[in-house]
Amino acid sequence: MKITKFTYGKPDSDWGNIDFEMEGVLENKSDHDVEFVKTSVIMLNENDVAVGGTEDEDDRVFIASKDSGDVSLLSWQSVHKDKFKSGTGADCKALVHMTTYRREFVKVGTLEIPEKEGDLSEIKKNISIGGVAELMGMSVLRMKDSDDGDAEFEIVSSVRNTSDDFIARAQTTLKLMDQRDAQLEDTYDYRELPAKSSVTFQPSFWGLKPGKIKNGSIVVTASVFVPIDTFTAEATPKPSSD
Amino acid sequence: MLVKADTLLEQIKKHLKENYSLGCNFTNKNTSQKPSNIDSLELNDNLTVRELEHSLGAMFNVEVKLFNSEGYSIPPEYTLLQAKDDIFELEDDHNFNTKIQALNTISSSSSYSDIDWVKRVFMQILRDAQSSDHFQQIEEILDVVFQDNEKFMQADFDEIAEAINDKKLALKI
């Protein structure tokens, strides 16, 4: 990773805040496509003391294996001028950490929508997600309809991290289909998943009329983001040309 | 919808889902709540994702993340109305365009000194170049890099130019 732009503006007249911007270029030397990055930046003053910082993540990045691409490192970050002896951003130093992730995706399966209160529909098998995590099936229990006459469900799925890696995002996606296979609703849940730990999702749907979902189904997919590489860089800013 | 301090987060989730097809993730900040000077927030079409995430975060002491109907996060400058139709799809020329953008970024950086990497990116771009338009873009950037970066020597320029010509010949362009 190379930092290609790191600039600071003039302190704003109202609050005395200095805006910083930073961009970089990432070379993906790995055999995997990068589909997710997590970035953290620590802003230091002339005494190497932390005066600001930020953490960010980007799931809209795609840098193919052996390719290079731009990464946004810092935006919307400001530090008060009085945290620097000179009162300008010239004294700032930034420490940047970035981790790139690949995506492992799996089609889990399809569940029939339970027809009446007390019915339970299940995906009974455990599904491996890229050999690093496991989805421990899924259950959907039909509950009593709500006072508004909407169908209610209690849906549970669990994912466990079977690897020694930190999974930045474990995600399940549920798409509710009617009997003609048209999508009615969808819901997503995601969480971080440290090594050798698990997470239990309880996704929900709203406003489902029983007649509409009769003979319908729920299509389930899951994905995890697994680390590829880590990068660190240090930079000092230049005055912004704006 | 007018969000106030006593509004349930579940109600906000439901509103965003029903009106904007947006998912919403709330995560506790694990810090003591600071008094917020935001009493209420109107969720309307013109509110940006950044404003929403910032304001709700301050009101409820949570990290807020919106995502679109495919589960991808949404650019913070989008309004809720724009976010409603947001789809994240890689364009056909994504890999080519990504590297062109990277080279543009590199060439505009006066401090840039890793010439080997610049040359590697040119070679990577050539893998994806398929049309005369692609080659025109590459040649234009090559000229800019050569002019702007004193560490990019004539021999470097010639090496890339030759590779471009070889690929053009191979593709009969």
Side-chain angles (χ1 to χ4, degrees):
Chain A
M1 177 181 64
K2 294 281 180 184
I3 294 168
T4 50
K5 176 187 174 185
F6 184 27
T7 59
Y8 65 91
K10 290 177 181 159
D12 75 65
S13 52
D14 292 334
W15 303 98
N17 286 333
I18 300 168
D19 283 333
F20 290 88
E21 281 185 51
M22 188 191 291
E23 290 171 3
V25 176
L26 180 74
E27 184 175 28
N28 176 15
K29 293 179 177 173
S30 79
D31 294 327
H32 304 283
D33 298 336
V34 170
E35 294 192 64
F36 186 68
V37 294
K38 280 177 88 83
T39 312
S40 55
V41 179
I42 301 171
M43 316 282 285
L44 303 170
N45 68 7
E46 63 280 353
N47 297 320
D48 278 350
V49 172
V51 290
T54 180
E55 303 93 46
D56 203 4
E57 56 184 44
D58 186 358
D59 59 7
R60 297 171 77 108
V61 65
F62 184 93
I63 303 174
S65 169
K66 315 294 182 195
D67 269 4
S68 299
D70 277 6
V71 283
S72 174
L73 298 170
L74 201 61
S75 62
W76 199 251
Q77 174 66 22
S78 61
V79 178
H80 196 278
K81 66 180 174 63
D82 291 345
K83 292 180 179 179
F84 301 107
K85 195 175 177 183
S86 66
T88 77
D91 291 333
C92 183
K93 183 168 77 180
L95 300 180
V96 184
H97 298 88
M98 174 179 280
T99 306
T100 55
Y101 296 84
R102 65 188 161 93
R103 183 177 196 151
E104 294 289 345
F105 173 84
V106 64
K107 290 179 180 174
V108 176
T110 303
L111 279 160
E112 289 180 2
I113 292 177
E115 279 190 22
K116 57 182 189 300
E117 184 184 343
D119 283 357
L120 181 72
S121 188
E122 297 169 298
I123 290 177
K124 289 178 179 167
K125 53 187 178 180
N126 296 341
I127 312 276
S128 170
I129 313 174
V132 293
E134 200 172 29
L135 186 130
M136 311 295 289
M138 178 172 280
S139 62
V140 181
L141 177 65
R142 182 83 178 244
M143 309 298 286
K144 188 182 172 188
D145 289 351
S146 73
D147 294 342
D148 297 333
D150 295 337
E152 296 279 341
F153 300 96
E154 198 172 284
I155 308 172
V156 176
S157 71
S158 293
V159 178
R160 66 189 190 108
N161 183 350
T162 53
S163 76
D164 293 325
D165 286 326
F166 174 78
I167 292 174
R169 184 182 285 189
Q171 179 171 319
T172 58
T173 301
L174 279 66
K175 292 185 187 294
L176 188 69
M177 319 300 281
D178 69 10
Q179 56 188 334
R180 294 181 184 84
D181 218 22
Q183 186 178 321
L184 297 172
E185 270 294 337
D186 54 50
T187 183
Y188 301 84
D189 274 287
Y190 63 79
R191 221 86 66 75
E192 291 184 344
L193 194 55
K196 307 295 186 206
S197 69
S198 67
V199 60
T200 296
F201 296 115
Q202 293 186 284
S204 53
F205 295 106
W206 289 292
L208 299 174
K209 295 301 174 198
K212 224 174 176 183
I213 58 172
K214 195 174 178 184
N215 298 323
S217 60
I218 299 170
V219 178
V220 184
T221 58
S223 58
V224 292
F225 290 104
V226 187
I228 303 173
D229 271 326
T230 57
F231 303 87
T232 57
E234 200 176 299
T236 50
K238 293 179 173 172
S240 168
S241 54
D242 297 340
Chain B
M1 178 185 185
L2 185 66
V3 176
K4 294 183 174 176
D6 59 354
T7 305
L8 296 175
L9 294 179
E10 278 299 305
Q11 290 176 299
I12 299 169
K13 268 189 177 181
K14 193 173 175 180
H15 177 82
L16 292 169
K17 185 73 186 173
E18 289 179 349
N19 292 277
Y20 297 101
S21 303
L22 296 175
C24 191
N25 207 32
F26 297 108
T27 313
N28 285 327
K29 278 184 178 168
N30 298 325
T31 58
S32 52
Q33 174 136 28
K34 292 177 190 167
S36 168
N37 54 6
I38 304 171
D39 298 327
S40 63
L41 179 71
E42 176 76 38
L43 303 185
N44 59 38
D45 291 353
N46 298 321
L47 189 71
T48 65
V49 170
R50 177 181 283 136
E51 288 166 341
L52 182 146
E53 290 179 346
H54 175 77
S55 301
L56 291 185
M59 284 176 78
F60 295 99
N61 201 32
V62 289
E63 297 280 352
V64 185
K65 198 83 184 166
L66 293 191
F67 46 95
N68 69 12
S69 59
E70 293 296 324
Y72 286 97
S73 59
I74 301 161
E77 66 275 16
Y78 277 27
T79 64
L80 289 184
L81 194 61
Q82 290 171 315
K84 186 178 182 179
D85 299 322
D86 176 56
I87 297 172
F88 174 63
E89 283 179 339
L90 296 177
E91 55 206 348
D92 291 342
D93 282 349
H94 173 81
N95 286 346
F96 180 83
N97 291 337
T98 299
K99 289 189 284 289
I100 286 286
Q101 183 61 41
L103 269 181
N104 274 324
T105 307
I106 290 168
S107 63
S108 64
S109 169
S110 58
S111 64
Y112 202 79
S113 59
D114 193 343
I115 300 305
D116 284 341
W117 189 10
V118 174
K119 286 162 69 176
R120 279 203 302 281
V121 179
F122 271 114
M123 294 304 183
Q124 291 163 2
I125 290 184
L126 283 175
R127 282 203 313 256
D128 296 320
Q130 296 295 328
S131 65
S132 55
D133 176 55
H134 284 167
F135 285 103
Q136 190 180 339
Q137 289 184 63
I138 295 169
E139 285 164 341
E140 283 172 5
I141 292 182
L142 179 62
D143 287 338
V144 171
V145 172
F146 184 49
Q147 283 169 21
D148 291 355
N149 197 323
E150 61 187 22
K151 292 178 183 168
F152 196 84
M153 313 301 278
Q154 182 69 47
D156 300 317
F157 178 90
D158 292 343
E159 185 184 338
I160 304 296
E162 190 180 337
I164 292 171
N165 284 333
D166 289 348
K167 182 78 190 276
K168 283 165 85 172
L169 276 172
L171 294 175
K172 296 178 180 165
I173 289 176

